[in-house]
Amino acid sequence: MKKISPPRPSAGLPHRRLCLAADVEQYSRLDTRTQSAVQSELVRLLDEAAALTGLDRAAWTRQPQGDLEFAVLPEATPEDAVLGLFVHHLAVRLGDRNARPASQRMRLRMAVDAGMVAEAALGHAGPAPVAVARYVNAPQLKSVLANLTAADLAVIVSDRLYQDVVRSGRRDLDPAQYVRAHVRVKEFGGYGWIRVPGHVPDDVRSAMAEAPEPNPSPDAGAPSRTTLSQYVHQGAAVGRDVFGGLTVGLPVPPPPTGSGPAR
């Protein structure tokens, strides 16, 4: 009997995928020759960290953007490995590189989220790619690197990943090492959790306190024209149309600002 294979899903259909962005801090201050070298070094560091973690970088769909690499990882990628071992190895390799004599120091901001992603004409579409682009530019994340001058890497993960993965008690992940931040960039609003390898949460909270207050939304103070009705279905936020900013996260009262998870 002839074996019948199931139909392959359309490339345009959204699937839950892990998205990651790594951005070089203060890249624009470098001269052209150094920028070129730093781009190569960023790729090498990500390659090495992935190999040490057992991740196949060849299977990542990558969108280089000069000082930043955005990547969509395969569906089977273990999310705890990315948040745990991959971040660890990246921090170690980055520290080793910066310790070399006469080396131009490289510092990175990294953001990770998981959600629905679809292939599109210019790359990818969906809430997760947008969220990662906003998280990596969060004022709190930039403030952490600006004030923790000994840090080489600062990582922010979405509230969704923090709740689903970090707090699940998996190996190499300690929820107490993350500090909550309310991120507002452009039209995006959501909770993220920041971790700085090699620094305790109190240091991160102090550094975050120096971040500038986000500008209010143009619609701030205006009466809402629509009541938000939102829930999570198969990893995607589903709801009615929303006017103004949308806050992404679980529908529970947030803990006090800067507090860690209950232990």
Side-chain angles (χ1 to χ4, degrees):
M1 181 181 294
K2 183 179 179 181
K3 184 176 180 180
I4 301 177
S5 301
R8 297 180 62 184
S10 171
L13 293 178
H15 300 273
R16 178 183 165 97
R17 304 282 289 275
L18 198 67
C19 297
L20 179 152
D23 195 353
V24 178
E25 185 77 355
Q26 297 184 347
Y27 174 86
S28 61
R29 298 186 181 183
L30 306 176
D31 59 42
T32 302
R33 181 177 179 181
T34 307
Q35 287 180 350
S36 178
V38 163
Q39 288 188 29
S40 297
E41 287 283 278
L42 175 60
V43 172
R44 180 182 66 81
L45 289 169
L46 294 172
D47 286 348
E48 292 177 355
L52 290 168
T53 308
L55 302 174
D56 181 10
R57 277 267 288 170
W60 294 20
T61 303
R62 297 156 52 191
Q63 290 180 233
Q65 300 173 26
D67 60 335
L68 179 148
E69 180 182 298
F70 169 76
V72 177
L73 280 59
E75 289 186 75
T77 301
E79 296 172 348
D80 57 331
V82 174
L83 301 185
L85 282 177
F86 177 77
V87 169
H88 167 75
H89 288 306
L90 180 60
V92 170
R93 299 302 292 165
L94 183 57
D96 291 343
R97 177 221 178 262
N98 287 339
R100 295 200 305 257
S103 175
Q104 173 69 46
R105 189 179 182 197
M106 180 190 296
R107 308 175 78 209
L108 299 178
R109 303 189 314 273
M110 190 170 83
V112 192
D113 191 11
M116 304 307 289
V117 180
E119 294 182 6
L122 298 178
H124 295 85
V130 172
V132 163
R134 302 300 181 249
Y135 279 128
V136 81
N137 286 304
Q140 297 93 328
L141 197 63
K142 293 182 178 181
S143 182
V144 163
L145 277 189
N147 291 284
L148 298 181
T149 56
D152 292 321
L153 174 67
V155 180
I156 184 168
V157 305
S158 66
D159 185 67
R160 174 174 24 226
L161 276 179
Y162 179 82
Q163 303 296 341
D164 291 350
V165 180
V166 176
R167 295 192 67 185
S168 65
R170 303 189 192 189
R171 186 182 63 182
D172 301 319
L173 296 175
D174 180 2
Q177 294 301 309
Y178 293 77
V179 177
R180 187 177 68 95
H182 185 200
V183 177
R184 288 182 59 184
V185 179
K186 296 184 178 181
E187 75 288 349
F188 174 84
Y191 289 104
W193 295 81
I194 296 177
R195 174 191 166 207
V196 180
H199 287 74
V200 298
D202 283 345
D203 291 343
V204 177
R205 291 188 187 97
S206 296
M208 282 173 49
E210 303 297 326
E213 290 293 326
N215 293 326
S217 167
D219 293 333
S224 173
R225 291 175 284 169
T226 305
T227 300
L228 171 61
S229 175
Q230 183 185 44
Y231 61 96
V232 175
H233 176 66
Q234 296 181 348
V238 179
R240 294 165 54 187
D241 291 341
V242 184
F243 292 89
L246 170 63
T247 297
V248 180
L250 297 179
V252 297
T257 301
S259 64
R263 299 288 288 175

